[in-house]
Amino acid sequence: MINLRTLTDKALNKLANYYISKLKNVKYTLDGEEKEIDFFSKKVIGNTACAYVFFDENYKGKITNIRVIDKDGDIVAQDKKVYERTTDKALYIAFKHEFTEV
């Protein structure tokens, strides 16, 4: 079977840029309390959308239920890991989504 790619790199880049432009913020739970935070950075590299969240060293407790929210209010990505503060270091989480043709 021959797989002929029809989307150009430019088209995949446009899809990634559109996606990144639709992202609003991140909601999460800190020790049982619902919170939200803005993205530290958002960028597109080729066909990959990258959105970064930064929790500085001042947060205390357990972070869970991290959800990326788009401008329509929908959850478009989530991180189900539990992040518990054990050191005085900040927490940096990256959401990277690659757009590709299948």
Side-chain angles (χ1 to χ4, degrees):
M1 181 165 118
I2 298 174
N3 184 4
L4 298 177
R5 187 171 161 217
T6 59
L7 289 176
T8 64
D9 290 340
K10 180 63 112 179
L12 294 170
N13 177 265
K14 285 183 175 192
L15 289 169
N17 273 291
Y18 177 76
Y19 175 78
I20 208 81
S21 75
K22 295 291 286 179
L23 300 183
K24 180 180 177 188
N25 62 11
V26 169
K27 291 186 179 181
Y28 64 100
T29 304
L30 177 62
D31 288 338
E33 185 178 337
E34 181 80 8
K35 305 250 184 192
E36 61 182 51
I37 190 170
D38 290 328
F39 290 101
F40 174 73
S41 172
K42 296 188 296 184
K43 64 183 176 183
V44 174
I45 302 169
N47 63 336
T48 303
C50 306
Y52 303 94
V53 180
F54 180 75
F55 298 94
D56 68 23
E57 62 277 352
N58 294 318
Y59 89 86
K60 306 262 190 278
K62 186 185 298 185
I63 295 175
T64 59
N65 195 25
I66 300 170
R67 293 148 292 148
V68 175
I69 307 299
D70 71 6
K71 292 179 180 177
D72 296 326
D74 295 323
I75 298 169
V76 295
Q78 55 189 8
D79 182 346
K80 295 185 178 196
K81 293 179 191 167
V82 174
Y83 298 93
E84 191 158 5
R85 177 98 189 246
T86 57
T87 66
D88 288 338
K89 294 183 180 179
L91 175 62
Y92 190 67
I93 299 173
F95 291 91
K96 294 183 178 181
H97 303 115
E98 180 181 11
F99 289 79
T100 186
E101 184 175 2
V102 293

